[in-house]
């Protein structure tokens, strides 16, 4: 279906000039603007961000852009699910005001060479496995913030380290936008919702459940008084290994603000996992304390 067929509701905006015009008009009307940046292939997790923005803002702008600079050459940029027709239908049901769907050329014009050097919280975990990932994320998010001039931007806790990177960038650069982090939305059986879940075969889908089981197991052990992080990490690894997940990138317990790995839990901690199920890389996390 052609994009033009969606011009009524939500309004589909494809160029930076058109977005600026829309934003200027809304600001002149005194509207409070909420921004939900996404890469599309929307699921209930994304929709929870949209609902939150709708509750708190007069106008919600959703962006759909599969950002090439956050993918390494060997990653899934080409096969990343693109489901624009379905996405626009879901957003229409939520009465979203505008959806910004730029081309790569709009975001990265010829000779583009300005990047954000992300803060140090980008270095561990995802930063080890995906060294340039947060450089691409921070760059596109800063650009989207500049273009949308929103009062609030909404992100999901599933990408926990991404949230920390964006919060730090906003603080360090004094950006005039509030960041809201919304809880992880899970399937009824516990699997954290992700656009990449659709890559999983039914066998892999069952195997992937070990990731949320491991995370939940850590939470239960901490609730029962466990403070030793190596025991928590061993448990998380063994739950996944027993399910046949062998490519575990990390399964660790860290400080929720700095992401430095902990030996023992004192006041605050988060469990984070990244693991491959078949060819699909999945992440999950849970604040333990
Ligand atoms: O979380 C995502 O979908 C992406 O990393 C984001 C924030 C839209 C930037 O491309």
């Amino acid at each position: 279906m052609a994009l033009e067929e969606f011009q009524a509701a939500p309004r589909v905006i494809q160029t930076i000039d058109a977005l600026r015009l829309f934003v200027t008009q809304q600001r002149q009307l005194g509207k409070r603007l909420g921004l939900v940046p996404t890469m599309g292939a929307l699921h209930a997790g994304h929709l929870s961000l949209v609902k939150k923005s709708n509750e708190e803002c007069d106008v919600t702008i959703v962006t759909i852009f599969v950002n090439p600079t956050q993918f390494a050459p060997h990653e899934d940029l080409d096969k990343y699910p693109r489901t624009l027709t379905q996405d626009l239908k879901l957003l229409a049901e939520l009465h979203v005001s505008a959806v910004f769907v730029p081309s790569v050329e709009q975001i990265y014009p010829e000779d583009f060479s300005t990047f954000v050097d992300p803060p140090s919280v980008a270095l561990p975990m995802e930063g080890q496995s995906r060294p340039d990932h947060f450089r691409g994320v921070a760059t596109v998010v800063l650009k989207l913030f500049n273009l949308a001039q929103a009062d609030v931007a909404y992100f999901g806790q599933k990408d926990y380290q991404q949230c920390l990177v964006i919060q730090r960038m906003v603080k360090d650069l004094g950006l005039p936008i509030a960041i809201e982090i919304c809880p992880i939305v899970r399937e009824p059986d516990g699997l954290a919702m992700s656009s990449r879940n659709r890559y999983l075969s039914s066998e892999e889908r069952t195997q992937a459940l070990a990731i949320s089981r491991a995370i939940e197991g850590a939470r239960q052990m901490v609730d029962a008084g466990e403070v030793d992080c190596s025991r928590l990490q061993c448990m998380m690894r063994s739950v996944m290994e027993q399910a046949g997940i062998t490519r575990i990138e990390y399964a660790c317990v860290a400080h929720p603000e700095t992401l430095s790995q902990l030996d023992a839990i004192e006041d605050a901690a988060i469990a984070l996992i990244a693991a491959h199920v078949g060819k699909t890389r999945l992440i999950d996390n849970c604040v333990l304390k």
Side-chain angles (χ1 to χ4, degrees), residues 147-176:
L147 298 175
Q149 302 282 306
D151 298 279
V152 195
Y154 297 84
F155 294 90
Q157 191 200 308
K158 193 181 72 75
D159 296 296
Y160 187 82
Q161 190 171 6
Q162 169 172 284
C163 294
L164 291 183
V165 167
I166 291 165
Q167 284 174 319
R168 189 72 241 176
M169 175 178 78
V170 165
K171 198 165 183 187
D172 287 354
L173 301 182
L175 305 178

Side-chain angles (χ1 to χ4, degrees), residues 36-40 46 49 63-71 80 108 130 133-134 136-138 140-141 144 154-156 159 162 166 195:
V36 181
T38 81
M39 297 207 298
H46 297 112
L49 308 180
T63 70
I64 297 180
F65 179 64
V66 183
N67 174 35
T69 62
Q70 68 189 75
F71 290 80
Y80 196 84
Y108 297 110
R130 310 180 74 193
H133 174 66
F134 287 124
V137 170
V140 79
V141 168
L144 294 172
Y154 297 84
F155 294 90
D159 296 296
Q162 169 172 284
I166 291 165
S195 302

Side-chain angles (χ1 to χ4, degrees), residues 222 225-229 232 253-256 262-270 288-289:
V222 171
E226 182 61 79
V227 293
D228 184 325
C229 296
L232 292 165
V253 180
H255 189 280
L262 298 174
D263 294 329
I265 298 180
E266 286 173 15
D267 49 353
I270 181 160
L288 300 174
K289 217 172 169 186

